[in-house]
Amino acid sequence: MNRLAVEFQGVSKLYGQAAAVDDVSFTIEPGTLVTLLGPSGCGKTTTLRLLAGLEPASRGRILIGGRDVTALSAAERNVSMVFQSYALFPHMNVRENACYGLRAGGMRRAEAEAVAREKLRQVGLAGFEERLPGQLSGGQQQRVAVARAIVLEPEVLLFDEPLSNLDAKLRRHVRDEIRALQQTLKLTVVYVTHDQQEALAVSDRVIVMNAGRIAQDGSPRELYEQPVSRFVADFIGDANLMPVTVCGIDDATASVSLGGVTLSLPRRGLADGTAELAVRPQALRLAHGTTGPVLPGHIRKVCYLGSHMEYEVVLDGIAGAFFISDPDVVRPLVEGDAAGILVDAAAVALVPPE
Amino acid sequence: MKRPERLWLALAAAALVVLPWYGLEDTVDAVLALRPEAMPALGQAAFGGCFWLLPLLLAPALAGWGVARGRPRLLVAGGVIGIAWLALEGLAIIHRGWGWDFLSVLGPAPTQPALGWGALLFALSCAMLVAIGLARLGRCRGDVFVVAAILLTGLSILLFIGLPLLSVLASAVRDDAGHTDVSQFLHKLTDGSIWGFGCLHGGGACGSAWNSLAMALLVGVTSTALGLAFALVAVRTRVRMKSLLGLLSILPVITPPFVIGLALIILFGHAGMATVFLADHFDIPRSRWIYGLPGIAIAQTLAFTPIAYLVMAGVLQAVSPSMEEAAQTLRAGPWRTFRTVTWPLIRPGIANAFLIGFIESMADFGNPLMLGGNYTVLSTDIFFAVVGATHDQGRAAVLAIVLLVFTLSAFMAQRLWQEGRSFTSVSGKGDAGLHPPLPGGLKALCAAAVLPWIVLTVVVYGIILGGGFVVDFGRDNSLTLKYFLTAFSIEHGVGGWFLSGSAWSSFITTLELALVAMPFTAGLGLLTAWLLARQDFAGKGLFEFGTMMSFAIPGTVIGIAYILAFNVPPLELTGTGIILVLAFVFRNMPVGIRAGLASLSQLDRSLDEASLTLGARSFRTVRLVVLPIIRPAVITAMVYAFVRAVTAVSAVIFLTTAQYQLATVYIVGRADVGEDGMALVYSAALIVVMVAALGIIVLLVGRQRIGRRGLAAGNMGVGVA
Ligand SMILES: Nc1ncnc2c1ncn2[C@@H]1O[C@H](COP(=O)(O)OP(=O)(O)O)[C@@H](O)[C@H]1O
Ligand SMILES: [Mg+2]
């Protein structure tokens, strides 16, 4: 039996007239980690809170484990949440925090403490049981919050930007820990972040949101390689975006011409006419004298970044500029130099125009 | 409790068949004596001829059916019918026949006494059944505690604030015989004693409304100006007086309001110390200048400046130093910085402090009572309309309406003012930096204002605390324990030790009632604050308005409203201790609301939410998470509820009886007949008791601080979207 862990059916959340979440539908398979990704204010937190039951939905249905929970309160839904601020109860020690959900469910103290101790051990906090939250570091607090949430073995575990209060070094470590924990315990996790790299790194699937709606829903690879819109291409992986004209199509491919170079790309349902070209930074190289189809251009800006150079190159004859990184830091080009650009069609995608 | 509806259903039934239906006092005696009114409702209907009580049975019947069939709608219906019928028959049939004239077509009137414990429990159970039913229907996400809290606080506010105010309105438009008479109302409303301008064109006095207004404006200005001067000295100079000011700022809380007036009379009255001194040594003729506007204004300024100080100190501290530093780096000198940056930023705070002073002055009763002389103000006029020779309740009601309109408008103005102008300079980011020094001239001005004030305060409190221990302050300064012993002696008599002092009875009654009211006041206030801060529900705007009303109602208005509303059945409470407790609870509820709102706004909402997502319902969340963290607010609310009940005078002066004499009312009586020594010694005793109470908060809250270290961690990093 493979019931869906979560199902949103046309869910909206209105604050007054404004829709923070606008007709959102998606499903989540059990045992997967799905990320809600998008810029600040796009409705990720609201979606998560709708799922947790902290906000009532204005429209639509929410199902968890196949059961309609739209009308149920947070206390009645089998989900747990790790808050951005962790929301550890400051007057309870680590053990009491971890036991809280079990005790609320009516479990006897001794039993609850045994379960909590085991989960605290799993997150690497054995020995910290008697500390107050105020006596822990940020990373440890975060783990307490995770332990407190997973003791209930919820059907769905929610994370709201769990790394935003950690310093940059710790982020990566905690991110990997969360992913490892999710995979060992086979948890269904919904994870909110505004950091695309974090999203690509941890997720089985990513739901990109924009202005309260879903912009794209797919695996990290799909999002990166086949963005369905300019917004997604721009948001994920900092693509260079450039308007182009589709000059010929057949079944699977479309030809576009860019400054004299013709590229043959997967068509992705596009028709003749204008389109947008999303060019990943790694698709571009400086020609350094090689022959072949190169795009001619000029260096506009030079930036020394230690391990490599970054150039902004304006193309001759086309309005537009590319950012290109180049490993040759010994003999850098200077502003005004002519530069040819090699394009690797494998890292270029066509995107429908806005 | 898995099935609370069964419990409340059983209670509703028990209320009808077990508890005495009528009469709130001496219930046990009444039951033991088998007095007829002590029968339960069912008995009244069967043997007492009160057939109109029978429909009440519908409530448990419907609700029981609903419980059996699992149909929450029937629970709601049963509860609503129960309450509605209780109110209807209670108002329709009163102690002297029909409650409404048009019912006389039904024939000769039956009568019934006031409602008792059975009726009370019945109403409560019905409300709970409605709440449970609504929750089962999915209201407030099925949370019984939330629905019940909304319903019960809403109903109690309606019953003990809304209904009394309605009675004031009703009695204002009724003549003595109880008939509606609008022309008489208009006549009273436009009466010369309220709105006259006699004082302007010579001969005669101005109306009390103008007097109140003039006084409130004056006191608003003086207390704000002094409060600002104090705050500037305390916050912006290096003068070390913060602890002194801290002490002075709690004085008005623990001082019965009229005592300052009394001290001023001892100082500046016709035979006062200072008056006599000036007359003897400087030939300044004695006069009665202290009676009237000057005296009241001085007394109120003394009383309310500390409040203005607290407001202004908060506002001055909230001005980010970096704003002023920015101005200085732009070549602005101290004066220019103050004038162009500091002053505009604190202006909203000044308006706020002014309005608070205005409202307090309007509502003040004790000082005008002591010092008014011929200068009549609304709050005391209400009192004299009731207890005076004319005994005109209609007039009292009209005056109460005028006073209420003044305070309510000022209160609304203050709220709007506050909402529109938040302090944008409080950024929450690290606001390091130093405030610039005060301009020299301003500093001198502040010092000139502050020093005499401190001297006066010290002298006044010296008189209050010491005046009871000398024979006759100013004239015969030999020490005596005479007054203290008269008030508080304990003697050994035939039956052992007994409290023979004349003050003991009122002293003990006051402490008892204040202690009884304390948990209810704090509980209701905090619960209301929690609902306002944390719950969204239909009708919240109305709910908020109702609670806000309680902030603006002057004590005198509460007092008159309570006697008008609860003097006759169905709710006959006058003369009982219950009405005093109710007056304390609903008069001081704002203390709990303020404390609760302030500390809930500091408490990160995600803590509540974390508890909810962990499967705890809101009751458990409140009990295990919210209450422990806001414990300081709970303690503060309790102690202030207690202290304000002890010092209350205006709300209770109508409500006390020989049996329930209160300390403040007793003191006013002593002062009225010229027994200043007694009044002072008693006031000093009250102040000592309340200082002890405040000391207890400081101890308890201070200890709590240690445990709060973690709170910051829980709050950390909020605000990133
Ligand atoms: N309680 C609220 N009242 C009104 N608007 C809100 C409320 N909560 C969120 N919003 C709005 O909804 C939108 C989505 O917010 P949110 O879900 O917090 O975004 P994010 O994706 O950054 O987590 C924002 O525009 C925000 O201003
Ligand atoms: Mg967010």
Side-chain angles (χ1 to χ4, degrees), chain A residues 74-129:
Chain A
E76 293 163 311
R77 297 188 188 185
N78 191 7
V79 296
S80 305
M81 182 151 167
V82 176
F83 287 79
Q84 194 170 4
S85 58
Y86 311 144
L88 297 179
F89 305 131
H91 57 299
M92 300 182 189
N93 63 25
V94 168
R95 177 174 42 80
E96 288 163 336
N97 264 289
C99 286
Y100 187 86
L102 296 172
R103 301 276 297 141
M107 190 184 276
R108 282 209 321 279
R109 182 183 298 277
E111 213 176 321
E113 283 184 1
V115 179
R117 201 175 298 279
E118 168 58 19
K119 298 293 179 190
L120 285 171
R121 196 188 55 71
Q122 280 179 1
V123 299
L125 277 179
F128 289 88
E129 286 87 352

Side-chain angles (χ1 to χ4, degrees), chain A residues 45 160-161, chain B residues 721:
Chain A
T45 298
D160 188 3
E161 311 228 0

